[in-house]
């Protein structure tokens, strides 16, 4: 079945993403597991509080989770680039990096 303009009908997919946080002061670790139904990707990242800084609940969680999500996003982009290459699609200019290596 196609739409009025000849396009395929819309479809919906559900991907499961689990985010696990663990804290062992002054470090917080985030682990993300993404299950697409076809593939499972995993990413880990950490945040470290300077021992001289005041402990503020949540900041380590946000930093570690954000870093793990960025890493997972990069994995997804690399997977898509590989799939495009396999399909013979010409390579575009790569996107700008999301952050500098030392961030």
């Amino acid at each position: 079945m196609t739409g009025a303009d000849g396009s395929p009908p819309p479809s919906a997919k559900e991907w499961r993403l689990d985010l696990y946080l663990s804290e062992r002061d002054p470090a917080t670790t985030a682990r993300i597991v993404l299950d697409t139904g076809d593939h499972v990707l995993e990413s880990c990242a950490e945040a470290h509080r300077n021992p001289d800084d005041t402990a503020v609940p949540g900041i380590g969680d946000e930093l570690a989770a954000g870093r793990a999500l960025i890493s997972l996003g990069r994995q997804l982009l690399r997977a898509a680039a590989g799939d495009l290459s396999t399909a013979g699609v010409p390579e575009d200019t790569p996107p700008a990096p999301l952050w500098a290596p030392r961030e």
Side-chain angles (χ1 to χ4, degrees), residues 5 9 19-20 36 41 47 55-56 59 67 75 80-82 85 95 100 102:
D5 62 358
L19 171 62
Y20 306 95
T36 69
L41 297 174
V56 179
I59 292 177
R67 290 170 180 164
Q75 287 182 48
S85 177
R102 291 192 46 91

Side-chain angles (χ1 to χ4, degrees), residues 62-100:
E62 293 166 349
L63 287 170
R67 290 170 180 164
L69 286 165
I70 289 170
S71 176
L72 182 66
R74 288 180 178 203
Q75 287 182 48
L76 286 168
L77 291 171
R78 280 193 301 272
D83 292 344
L84 288 169
S85 177
T86 299
V89 176
E91 186 176 329
D92 281 342
T93 305
L98 296 174
W99 78 68

Side-chain angles (χ1 to χ4, degrees), residues 25-26 48-55:
D25 197 35
H48 297 271
R49 181 179 58 81
N50 183 322
D52 296 333
D53 291 343
T54 303

Side-chain angles (χ1 to χ4, degrees), residues 26-52:
T28 301
T29 301
R31 178 175 163 253
I32 296 176
V33 179
L34 174 65
D35 185 348
T36 69
D38 296 322
H39 304 283
V40 176
L41 297 174
E42 185 174 334
S43 174
C44 293
E46 292 186 340
H48 297 271
R49 181 179 58 81
N50 183 322
D52 296 333

